[in-house]
Amino acid sequence: ECAFQILVCMAQKVDTGSNGQQLGDFFSMVLAGLAGTTPHMISATVLALSRLVYEYADRVQQLAPPLLESILLLFEHKSREIVTSV
């Protein structure tokens, strides 16, 4: 829970005083974690993205289609940990 609070706090700091572009860049940085080399890293990224989408659901409509495409591809992954997090 503490990690999620820190993640949301970071997103709030990035978003403060911006027009939304910086929040999109923050989502892109977190999304880069899907390219991780370990199942644990990819699973953690999926959980982090889900928390951010939950927190900013009203502001991420334009990010939703590419984000969902990336996440849905993970259903085909061999790792049970990743499929469970998706």
Side-chain angles (χ1 to χ4, degrees):
E1 182 62 33
C2 183
F4 287 137
Q5 290 174 351
I6 291 171
L7 183 69
V8 171
C9 183
M10 289 171 55
Q12 289 171 347
K13 292 290 184 186
V14 166
D15 191 36
T16 302
S18 73
N19 60 357
Q21 176 63 34
Q22 291 178 343
L23 185 61
D25 292 343
F26 183 72
F27 267 80
S28 295
M29 285 189 283
V30 175
L31 187 63
L34 291 178
T37 57
T38 64
H40 186 71
M41 177 65 175
I42 297 169
S43 176
T45 301
V46 170
L47 294 174
L49 286 168
S50 66
R51 174 57 190 222
L52 287 173
V53 168
Y54 173 78
E55 193 70 29
Y56 291 96
D58 57 334
R59 307 220 6 239
V60 294
Q61 291 90 7
Q62 71 275 12
L63 296 174
L67 184 64
L68 280 174
E69 286 178 27
S70 301
I71 298 296
L72 290 176
L73 286 174
L74 294 175
F75 273 120
E76 299 173 4
H77 203 277
K78 295 177 183 176
S79 172
R80 183 176 183 184
E81 181 180 4
I82 293 173
V83 173
T84 303
S85 69
V86 172

